[in-house]
Amino acid sequence: MKKNIVFSQREFMVLAIPLIISGISTPILGAVDTAVIGRIPDPASIGGVAIGAVIFNTLYWLLGFLRVSTSGFTAQAEGANNQTEVLLSFLRPMVLAILFGLIFVLFQKPILAAAFLLLGGGEDVQSYAATYFSIRIWSAPFILASYVIIGWLIGLGKVKLALVTQVVMNVMNIVLDVLFVMGFGMGVEGVALATLIAEISGVSLGMLLIYSKDKEKFSKVDMITLLDAGSLVKMMKVNRDLFLRTVCLLVMTGIFTSMGASMGEVTLAANAILLQIQYIMAYFFSGFANASSILVGRAIGGEQYPLYRRAYLLSGQWGLLSAILLALLIFTFGETIVSFFAVNEEVRGMANSLLGWMLLFPLVGFWGLQLEGIFAGATEAKPVRDSIVLALIVFLAVLWFFVPVMQNHGLWLAFILFSFSRSFFLSVFIPRVGKGKF
């Protein structure tokens, strides 16, 4: 008879806090880019970096399943104490990561042309965005490899190693941003170069840490086992659904950014600032979601239903508390936070007028983000895909009816209702998570 594992609030937070720090360091990297460029009183430069960031978010989010599925499969293998499968859960997605990274580099020109066609923006904005993109694209194989590294370490519960890899990369980026832009006056080129150097350095460190600890184990994995058809098909099915989920998210983000750009450079810049704030909050929630993913994966791998239920409860409790605290933070210090991102008074004024929408986001969006962690740990991606498709339909309907009347506020209304719908529809699929797993 298997012994039930009890997981306390304290143990959950010991797992979640490093994941939160690791998670929010990612959007903070983009926020620092925006804030450093925001010291230059030119909305076009802010908009250019924002469009460049959207392009990279699009490319990398499309492959975001590399981290999510790696984490889920690894946690389940660890829960089942299958060390060979633990290693294969790292190697199989790593091959995909490097392959797609090289494809992005090789096809960078058509990717940039297609992005401008979809996202629009003025001539100056596109010029800045092209400069930013042409430098950062060379780190694509490294960034995608980092998704696998972080996902694997998270799945193993080695959250401190994941934190070290992420934080070293992002702290280096911040330091180099300030040095290149504010010290050397390099502008957009400095922001992109700082990010490129930081990304390559951080990922190289992560690979070194992993290989130095498990060198002998990796050498024992044979090609036949690595390319096992059944395991590959299972991985690709999960990745397919997560990929389609990401496509829906990116369609929403792309439409949002494009419509904001059509309303002028000031609106584009203001929306970019608020999206950076939203990203930070979303990644904050992802820390709890990732912690739940680890527990759910272990619970399924070890057939521990009480641990699964405990993970579900802890994720909801801490997610709700965080949502309330973040909403209060935006209500109290919203304008101060906005002032950190831009010196242009018109951009700041526009962003401040939209802060009410940011106050709503954590309250309506936290539950969907928490549930994605539960589904990821169970490697149940189909419900995640279906819920996002339904939320996207809601988003498009709200755009159609309200943007002509409310303009940019209609755009943000659609965004908030998308976030709410994501939480609502995913809740409907909750009974499917543990079905047939225990």
Side-chain angles (χ1 to χ4, degrees):
M1 181 175 178
K2 295 188 178 183
K3 182 181 178 181
N4 288 334
I5 301 171
V6 178
F7 216 80
S8 68
Q9 297 274 1
R10 182 181 179 278
E11 288 173 315
F12 183 77
M13 290 306 293
V14 167
L15 198 61
I17 287 174
L19 292 170
I20 291 170
I21 296 171
S22 175
I24 63 173
S25 68
T26 297
I28 285 175
L29 186 152
V32 169
D33 284 354
T34 303
V36 170
I37 286 296
R39 300 298 98 186
I40 303 171
D42 178 10
S45 62
I46 301 175
V49 171
I51 290 236
V54 167
I55 296 172
F56 282 108
N57 286 341
T58 301
L59 293 176
Y60 297 150
W61 283 352
L62 282 171
L63 279 299
F65 61 78
L66 291 168
R67 188 201 64 76
V68 178
S69 65
T70 298
S71 176
F73 284 120
T74 304
Q76 289 183 23
E78 181 73 3
N81 197 28
N82 187 338
Q83 294 306 307
T84 299
E85 194 60 34
V86 166
L87 296 178
L88 293 170
S89 297
F90 175 81
L91 294 173
R92 288 179 183 132
M94 182 60 74
V95 173
L96 285 178
I98 295 173
L99 176 63
F100 278 107
L102 293 174
I103 289 172
F104 288 161
V105 171
L106 290 173
F107 292 92
Q108 58 181 280
K109 289 185 178 180
I111 288 171
L112 185 61
F116 285 157
L117 185 64
L118 292 171
L119 298 175
E123 184 178 343
D124 289 343
V125 169
Q126 288 195 1
S127 177
Y128 282 124
T131 299
Y132 183 82
F133 177 86
S134 64
I135 296 172
R136 268 197 70 186
I137 189 63
W138 293 96
S139 66
F142 293 89
I143 285 299
L144 295 179
S146 79
Y147 285 12
V148 177
I149 292 170
I150 299 299
W152 192 67
L153 291 173
I154 287 174
L156 290 174
K158 296 181 178 180
V159 293
K160 291 183 180 179
L161 274 179
L163 176 62
V164 168
T165 302
Q166 198 87 1
V167 169
V168 165
M169 179 168 62
N170 293 339
V171 168
M172 181 181 291
N173 183 81
I174 292 170
V175 172
L176 292 178
D177 258 348
V178 174
L179 178 64
F180 290 166
V181 178
M182 303 182 73
F184 298 157
M186 294 174 66
V188 172
E189 295 93 335
V191 168
L193 184 60
T195 305
L196 173 69
I197 295 171
E199 287 172 342
I200 293 176
S201 300
V203 175
S204 299
L205 173 64
M207 290 292 289
L208 181 63
L209 289 173
I210 288 174
Y211 189 69
S212 64
K213 288 179 176 294
D214 296 297
K215 184 177 180 179
E216 292 185 7
K217 293 181 181 179
F218 280 115
S219 64
K220 294 179 181 179
V221 176
D222 61 90
M223 191 62 66
I224 295 176
T225 307
L226 179 64
L227 300 178
D228 175 67
S231 298
L232 288 174
V233 168
K234 183 179 179 182
M235 181 185 75
M236 293 308 295
K237 283 183 177 180
V238 171
N239 288 342
R240 175 202 62 196
D241 290 333
L242 291 173
F243 173 80
L244 293 174
R245 165 257 189 194
T246 306
V247 168
C248 290
L249 281 173
L250 292 172
V251 167
M252 184 278 294
T253 305
I255 292 172
F256 184 95
T257 303
S258 180
M259 294 189 73
S262 71
M263 297 177 191
E265 291 180 352
V266 171
T267 299
L268 174 63
N271 285 353
I273 289 170
L274 293 186
L275 281 177
Q276 292 291 351
I277 297 172
Q278 181 265 330
Y279 289 150
I280 293 171
M281 290 193 286
Y283 276 91
F284 183 91
F285 288 125
S286 75
F288 296 118
N290 286 332
S292 301
S293 176
I294 296 170
L295 297 185
V296 170
R298 289 178 183 175
I300 291 173
E303 299 180 3
Q304 292 283 339
Y305 183 74
L307 180 60
Y308 159 71
R309 293 297 304 170
R310 184 62 173 164
Y312 181 86
L313 179 63
L314 290 169
S315 182
Q317 289 175 339
W318 285 103
L320 176 60
L321 177 61
S322 298
I324 294 170
L325 292 176
L326 288 171
L328 289 173
L329 182 67
I330 294 296
F331 179 78
T332 307
F333 300 107
E335 292 188 6
T336 302
I337 295 171
V338 166
S339 67
F340 172 75
F341 288 96
V343 294
N344 184 287
E345 289 296 332
E346 194 175 2
V347 172
R348 287 168 62 174
M350 172 73 76
N352 287 336
S353 71
L354 299 167
L355 280 173
W357 299 113
M358 277 298 92
L359 187 149
L360 290 174
F361 170 74
L363 300 175
V364 302
F366 87 93
W367 189 226
L369 296 169
Q370 299 309 295
L371 286 179
E372 284 202 357
I374 301 291
F375 281 90
T379 57
E380 287 287 342
K382 188 174 181 292
V384 175
R385 179 200 68 190
D386 292 345
S387 66
I388 291 293
V389 170
L390 294 171
L392 179 61
I393 293 171
V394 172
F395 175 78
L396 294 173
V398 175
L399 286 183
W400 179 268
F401 286 106
F402 290 97
V403 170
V405 178
M406 300 173 64
Q407 296 298 307
N408 198 37
H409 283 281
L411 197 56
W412 279 102
L413 174 63
F415 181 88
I416 291 300
L417 289 179
F418 171 86
S419 300
F420 172 77
S421 299
R422 184 181 184 181
S423 297
F424 174 78
F425 290 123
L426 201 51
S427 297
V428 174
F429 293 115
I430 289 174
R432 295 191 187 182
V433 180
K435 190 175 181 180
K437 300 285 187 181
F438 301 98

